[in-house]
Amino acid sequence: MTKILGLNAFHADASAALIIDGKIVSAVEEERFIREKHWAGFPSESVKWILYNSKIKISDIDEICINTNPNANFYKKLIYTFKNNPDIRFLLERYKNKQKRKNVFNYIQELFPNQEINANLNFVDHHLAHLASAFYCSRFEEASVVSIDGFGDFASTAWGFGSSNKLRLDQQIFFPHSLGVFYTSLTQFLGFPNYGDEYKVMGLAPYGNKKYVDKIWNLINLEKNGKFSLNKKYFLHTSQKIPYKWDNCTPEVGTHYSKELIEILGPERKSDQILEKRHMDIAHSAQFVYEEVLNHILRNVHKIYGGENLAIAGGCAANSVANGKITKNTPFKKLYVQAAAGDAGGALGSALKRWYEVNPRQSASVASPYLGSFASQNEIDKLLFKRLSNNETLKNKFLIKKIGEHNLKTRDHFLDEISNYIIDGLVIGWFQGRMEWGPRALGNRSILGDPRRKDMKNILNAKIKRRESFRPFAPSVLYEEAKDWFEFPDHKKDDEVPYMMKVLPIKKDRRELIPAVTHVDGSGRLQTVNRNDNETYYDLIKSFFQKTGVPMLLNTSFNENEPIVRTPAEALDCFIRTKMDVLVIGETIIKREIFR
């Protein structure tokens, strides 16, 4: 048996993944254990859980892979250093990080001090790991593959081609030019300073117009052969050290944009300032230019390789608004975006790359997003007895029901009860099966609501989420019904959106029926739900559909300004401290009895 452990370490979204004889067994992000969003560092808890879950020891691992190669693009780095004389602090920071990555075995040995490490250590180019995570997890026999990121191994963008079990990286765009840095800079300018805040600009963009497009085109230039370049005077990363915090912490990133950006766009927004129409217009214009650059890259990639299949990864692959337009605005007809498209996915990609090197004739399984931790019903029952049934303060505040008890004689009765709660306007915490891999809640660690209610968005924000009003909530829709509610560019060829990685227009005659999940521009970031992938979640949506004629539920992540809940205890804590109405955890329903 070949056991391969993949790592994304010493970077944001630290993670680990395990492949055993070609089967993707587990994949988890460290933030779910540490409880700090985008946690950066070595994924110690992820590695320990993965080994425990598979009942193996670190000594059983044959290959350890990390999604970076400290020696990649060495001459490119050397030439850039001589030409640009960068800040010495920048070079020292990079050197320290490089040494950490080379000392992976030391970190693992500290985790397991009394065990031998027999594995080979493999450094996989950052973007090659992204390409592998996209292509090998797709169902494509052949595909163009693209990675677009901030930076990794001195490159920001890469493309290549996958065929059967083979994958090659053919072209890259190097430092300092980066579409990720372009978008991050404008995100920071708009007053969203936290690592990973780019999705807020996507949510804000539909409220604006193209007023600033011409000015934003000053920041970036389209080049021949699908390449692009940044106008360096608008960015700081080319001339000075940008402060980063990556070491055992929530990532912090310094300001990327220069004073010249303020000169053309006006004053930057502070995070506590009210959003004005000007900010919405800048967001809209930034998104528009981003999409134009993306399409420029993809049209060139199609000229090189042809075909109708495209697989993408990298942090920029999380731009679901742009993704939803790719098969409309480029020659590609089918798009696959990996569930953990960002750097977390590099752990899986590096392991997959090594698997195909060791076993070139064997195929790894297509990745499911449900690769994380799981709680048995026995564990859930013990927790609920200890925390609720055996607690005099709490037990009278909640009504607890379980399949086989009360009126819940069967699983169908159980789902019927929950769909009735949703129809009644209650907010449901939904904890089932294995935790999702990647940033999206896909029906196992979700908060659910009725998409037909105009007030549901406000209810969720008041009771739990407390987030910006311009950010939309997502619809989870039955796969076979999706084409009747959403406008697919070519639904016969590209009709699956299993990981919420595309935003599509909702059909005009349907928008008023589902106001809670319809964004201001009439779009929705949907998830298509197939019964083969998630039977329980599918059947719940179907129960709601049979009663209402609407084949979807509002779905948002099960959390409150924290990483998505991982364990039953975390789910229960979130339920108790918020104003959530019902918690469904395994086969148990817990209902808040306000008037009891």
mmCIF file of all heavy atoms in Angstrom, residues 187-194 197 200 257 268-275 279 468 470:
data_model
loop_
_atom_site.group_PDB
_atom_site.id
_atom_site.type_symbol
_atom_site.label_atom_id
_atom_site.label_comp_id
_atom_site.label_asym_id
_atom_site.label_seq_id
_atom_site.Cartn_x
_atom_site.Cartn_y
_atom_site.Cartn_z
ATOM 1 N N THR A 187 -8.994 45.496 -2.963
ATOM 2 C CA THR A 187 -9.748 45.064 -1.784
ATOM 3 C C THR A 187 -9.328 45.881 -0.565
ATOM 4 O O THR A 187 -10.169 46.386 0.197
ATOM 5 C CB THR A 187 -9.523 43.564 -1.526
ATOM 6 O OG1 THR A 187 -9.994 42.806 -2.648
ATOM 7 C CG2 THR A 187 -10.266 43.097 -0.275
ATOM 8 N N GLN A 188 -8.024 46.024 -0.373
ATOM 9 C CA GLN A 188 -7.517 46.817 0.743
ATOM 10 C C GLN A 188 -7.908 48.287 0.592
ATOM 11 O O GLN A 188 -8.280 48.945 1.572
ATOM 12 C CB GLN A 188 -5.998 46.685 0.819
ATOM 13 C CG GLN A 188 -5.519 45.295 1.185
ATOM 14 C CD GLN A 188 -4.006 45.189 1.160
ATOM 15 O OE1 GLN A 188 -3.322 45.949 0.463
ATOM 16 N NE2 GLN A 188 -3.467 44.244 1.900
ATOM 17 N N PHE A 189 -7.815 48.805 -0.625
ATOM 18 C CA PHE A 189 -8.172 50.208 -0.881
ATOM 19 C C PHE A 189 -9.625 50.485 -0.482
ATOM 20 O O PHE A 189 -9.954 51.568 -0.002
ATOM 21 C CB PHE A 189 -7.958 50.519 -2.362
ATOM 22 C CG PHE A 189 -8.282 51.931 -2.751
ATOM 23 C CD1 PHE A 189 -7.318 52.922 -2.671
ATOM 24 C CD2 PHE A 189 -9.550 52.282 -3.196
ATOM 25 C CE1 PHE A 189 -7.616 54.240 -3.014
ATOM 26 C CE2 PHE A 189 -9.857 53.582 -3.532
ATOM 27 C CZ PHE A 189 -8.890 54.569 -3.444
ATOM 28 N N LEU A 190 -10.481 49.477 -0.664
ATOM 29 C CA LEU A 190 -11.905 49.633 -0.352
ATOM 30 C C LEU A 190 -12.229 49.406 1.121
ATOM 31 O O LEU A 190 -13.387 49.386 1.512
ATOM 32 C CB LEU A 190 -12.727 48.683 -1.226
ATOM 33 C CG LEU A 190 -12.809 49.093 -2.706
ATOM 34 C CD1 LEU A 190 -13.395 47.972 -3.551
ATOM 35 C CD2 LEU A 190 -13.634 50.364 -2.860
ATOM 36 N N GLY A 191 -11.186 49.246 1.952
ATOM 37 C CA GLY A 191 -11.404 49.169 3.390
ATOM 38 C C GLY A 191 -11.660 47.783 3.924
ATOM 39 O O GLY A 191 -12.238 47.619 5.012
ATOM 40 N N PHE A 192 -11.211 46.762 3.191
ATOM 41 C CA PHE A 192 -11.337 45.370 3.639
ATOM 42 C C PHE A 192 -9.917 44.824 3.831
ATOM 43 O O PHE A 192 -9.330 44.250 2.907
ATOM 44 C CB PHE A 192 -12.117 44.543 2.626
ATOM 45 C CG PHE A 192 -13.479 45.110 2.299
ATOM 46 C CD1 PHE A 192 -13.795 45.499 1.011
ATOM 47 C CD2 PHE A 192 -14.436 45.260 3.280
ATOM 48 C CE1 PHE A 192 -15.039 46.023 0.695
ATOM 49 C CE2 PHE A 192 -15.685 45.785 2.988
ATOM 50 C CZ PHE A 192 -15.988 46.166 1.697
ATOM 51 N N PRO A 193 -9.335 44.997 5.012
ATOM 52 C CA PRO A 193 -7.904 44.745 5.185
ATOM 53 C C PRO A 193 -7.518 43.317 5.523
ATOM 54 O O PRO A 193 -6.334 42.971 5.470
ATOM 55 C CB PRO A 193 -7.549 45.670 6.358
ATOM 56 C CG PRO A 193 -8.802 45.682 7.192
ATOM 57 C CD PRO A 193 -9.942 45.608 6.205
ATOM 58 N N ASN A 194 -8.483 42.481 5.896
ATOM 59 C CA ASN A 194 -8.138 41.149 6.394
ATOM 60 C C ASN A 194 -7.787 40.193 5.265
ATOM 61 O O ASN A 194 -8.321 40.287 4.155
ATOM 62 C CB ASN A 194 -9.290 40.578 7.208
ATOM 63 C CG ASN A 194 -9.573 41.394 8.446
ATOM 64 O OD1 ASN A 194 -8.656 41.914 9.081
ATOM 65 N ND2 ASN A 194 -10.836 41.528 8.806
ATOM 66 N N ASP A 197 -10.340 38.791 2.335
ATOM 67 C CA ASP A 197 -11.515 39.662 2.216
ATOM 68 C C ASP A 197 -11.951 39.917 0.766
ATOM 69 O O ASP A 197 -12.940 40.623 0.542
ATOM 70 C CB ASP A 197 -11.237 41.025 2.868
ATOM 71 C CG ASP A 197 -11.546 41.037 4.359
ATOM 72 O OD1 ASP A 197 -12.097 40.038 4.856
ATOM 73 O OD2 ASP A 197 -11.238 42.051 5.020
ATOM 74 N N LYS A 200 -15.561 39.944 -0.406
ATOM 75 C CA LYS A 200 -16.438 41.071 -0.090
ATOM 76 C C LYS A 200 -16.535 42.035 -1.270
ATOM 77 O O LYS A 200 -17.588 42.641 -1.506
ATOM 78 C CB LYS A 200 -15.928 41.794 1.154
ATOM 79 C CG LYS A 200 -15.985 40.943 2.422
ATOM 80 C CD LYS A 200 -15.537 41.725 3.645
ATOM 81 C CE LYS A 200 -15.602 40.846 4.893
ATOM 82 N NZ LYS A 200 -15.189 41.572 6.114
ATOM 83 N N TYR A 257 -0.997 48.695 -2.037
ATOM 84 C CA TYR A 257 -1.114 49.770 -3.028
ATOM 85 C C TYR A 257 -0.318 51.001 -2.595
ATOM 86 O O TYR A 257 -0.080 51.247 -1.413
ATOM 87 C CB TYR A 257 -2.580 50.141 -3.253
ATOM 88 C CG TYR A 257 -3.307 50.626 -2.028
ATOM 89 C CD1 TYR A 257 -3.321 51.977 -1.664
ATOM 90 C CD2 TYR A 257 -4.009 49.731 -1.210
ATOM 91 C CE1 TYR A 257 -3.983 52.411 -0.525
ATOM 92 C CE2 TYR A 257 -4.670 50.163 -0.069
ATOM 93 C CZ TYR A 257 -4.652 51.506 0.263
ATOM 94 O OH TYR A 257 -5.304 51.939 1.389
ATOM 95 N N GLU A 268 -8.693 56.531 -0.024
ATOM 96 C CA GLU A 268 -9.036 55.147 0.277
ATOM 97 C C GLU A 268 -10.059 55.112 1.406
ATOM 98 O O GLU A 268 -10.126 56.033 2.216
ATOM 99 C CB GLU A 268 -7.794 54.331 0.648
ATOM 100 C CG GLU A 268 -7.185 54.619 1.999
ATOM 101 C CD GLU A 268 -6.086 55.663 1.954
ATOM 102 O OE1 GLU A 268 -6.335 56.777 1.452
ATOM 103 O OE2 GLU A 268 -4.986 55.364 2.453
ATOM 104 N N ARG A 269 -10.836 54.050 1.452
ATOM 105 C CA ARG A 269 -11.852 53.906 2.500
ATOM 106 C C ARG A 269 -11.227 53.248 3.720
ATOM 107 O O ARG A 269 -10.498 52.257 3.602
ATOM 108 C CB ARG A 269 -13.010 53.045 1.991
ATOM 109 C CG ARG A 269 -14.051 52.723 3.059
ATOM 110 C CD ARG A 269 -15.179 51.846 2.523
ATOM 111 N NE ARG A 269 -16.034 51.395 3.605
ATOM 112 C CZ ARG A 269 -15.912 50.217 4.229
ATOM 113 N NH1 ARG A 269 -14.979 49.365 3.858
ATOM 114 N NH2 ARG A 269 -16.738 49.889 5.214
ATOM 115 N N LYS A 270 -11.528 53.782 4.889
ATOM 116 C CA LYS A 270 -11.141 53.133 6.133
ATOM 117 C C LYS A 270 -12.191 52.077 6.483
ATOM 118 O O LYS A 270 -13.356 52.199 6.111
ATOM 119 C CB LYS A 270 -11.028 54.153 7.269
ATOM 120 C CG LYS A 270 -10.046 55.286 6.990
ATOM 121 C CD LYS A 270 -8.653 54.769 6.715
ATOM 122 C CE LYS A 270 -7.682 55.915 6.463
ATOM 123 N NZ LYS A 270 -6.331 55.409 6.089
ATOM 124 N N SER A 271 -11.776 51.047 7.186
ATOM 125 C CA SER A 271 -12.670 49.901 7.418
ATOM 126 C C SER A 271 -13.917 50.265 8.210
ATOM 127 O O SER A 271 -14.935 49.573 8.112
ATOM 128 C CB SER A 271 -11.913 48.780 8.131
ATOM 129 O OG SER A 271 -11.377 49.239 9.357
ATOM 130 N N ASP A 272 -13.869 51.354 8.983
ATOM 131 C CA ASP A 272 -15.041 51.738 9.773
ATOM 132 C C ASP A 272 -15.891 52.816 9.095
ATOM 133 O O ASP A 272 -16.866 53.287 9.670
ATOM 134 C CB ASP A 272 -14.614 52.227 11.159
ATOM 135 C CG ASP A 272 -13.649 53.416 11.106
ATOM 136 O OD1 ASP A 272 -13.197 53.763 9.995
ATOM 137 O OD2 ASP A 272 -13.361 53.998 12.167
ATOM 138 N N GLN A 273 -15.527 53.183 7.867
ATOM 139 C CA GLN A 273 -16.295 54.187 7.149
ATOM 140 C C GLN A 273 -17.502 53.571 6.456
ATOM 141 O O GLN A 273 -17.478 52.401 6.048
ATOM 142 C CB GLN A 273 -15.423 54.878 6.095
ATOM 143 C CG GLN A 273 -14.446 55.897 6.660
ATOM 144 C CD GLN A 273 -13.668 56.584 5.555
ATOM 145 O OE1 GLN A 273 -13.061 55.930 4.712
ATOM 146 N NE2 GLN A 273 -13.687 57.903 5.555
ATOM 147 N N ILE A 274 -18.549 54.366 6.296
ATOM 148 C CA ILE A 274 -19.741 53.919 5.575
ATOM 149 C C ILE A 274 -19.399 53.709 4.105
ATOM 150 O O ILE A 274 -18.653 54.490 3.510
ATOM 151 C CB ILE A 274 -20.874 54.965 5.725
ATOM 152 C CG1 ILE A 274 -21.337 55.034 7.182
ATOM 153 C CG2 ILE A 274 -22.049 54.637 4.813
ATOM 154 C CD1 ILE A 274 -22.317 56.150 7.464
ATOM 155 N N LEU A 275 -19.936 52.657 3.526
ATOM 156 C CA LEU A 275 -19.736 52.406 2.097
ATOM 157 C C LEU A 275 -20.545 53.404 1.279
ATOM 158 O O LEU A 275 -21.756 53.558 1.481
ATOM 159 C CB LEU A 275 -20.167 50.981 1.751
ATOM 160 C CG LEU A 275 -19.170 49.885 2.122
ATOM 161 C CD1 LEU A 275 -19.854 48.530 2.129
ATOM 162 C CD2 LEU A 275 -17.980 49.885 1.164
ATOM 163 N N HIS A 279 -17.439 53.753 -3.693
ATOM 164 C CA HIS A 279 -16.772 52.494 -3.366
ATOM 165 C C HIS A 279 -17.394 51.335 -4.145
ATOM 166 O O HIS A 279 -16.689 50.430 -4.609
ATOM 167 C CB HIS A 279 -16.865 52.230 -1.863
ATOM 168 C CG HIS A 279 -16.297 53.329 -1.030
ATOM 169 N ND1 HIS A 279 -16.993 53.912 0.008
ATOM 170 C CD2 HIS A 279 -15.096 53.980 -1.089
ATOM 171 C CE1 HIS A 279 -16.247 54.844 0.559
ATOM 172 N NE2 HIS A 279 -15.101 54.918 -0.090
ATOM 173 N N GLU A 468 -21.834 42.091 6.693
ATOM 174 C CA GLU A 468 -22.243 43.204 5.854
ATOM 175 C C GLU A 468 -23.513 42.872 5.081
ATOM 176 O O GLU A 468 -23.670 41.773 4.541
ATOM 177 C CB GLU A 468 -21.127 43.578 4.868
ATOM 178 C CG GLU A 468 -19.853 44.059 5.506
ATOM 179 C CD GLU A 468 -18.854 42.952 5.807
ATOM 180 O OE1 GLU A 468 -19.249 41.761 5.769
ATOM 181 O OE2 GLU A 468 -17.694 43.268 6.086
ATOM 182 N N PHE A 470 -24.526 43.790 2.233
ATOM 183 C CA PHE A 470 -24.415 43.606 0.785
ATOM 184 C C PHE A 470 -23.983 42.197 0.399
ATOM 185 O O PHE A 470 -24.026 41.834 -0.780
ATOM 186 C CB PHE A 470 -23.438 44.625 0.177
ATOM 187 C CG PHE A 470 -22.022 44.518 0.693
ATOM 188 C CD1 PHE A 470 -21.136 43.583 0.182
ATOM 189 C CD2 PHE A 470 -21.570 45.366 1.697
ATOM 190 C CE1 PHE A 470 -19.835 43.484 0.654
ATOM 191 C CE2 PHE A 470 -20.266 45.283 2.175
ATOM 192 C CZ PHE A 470 -19.398 44.336 1.654
#
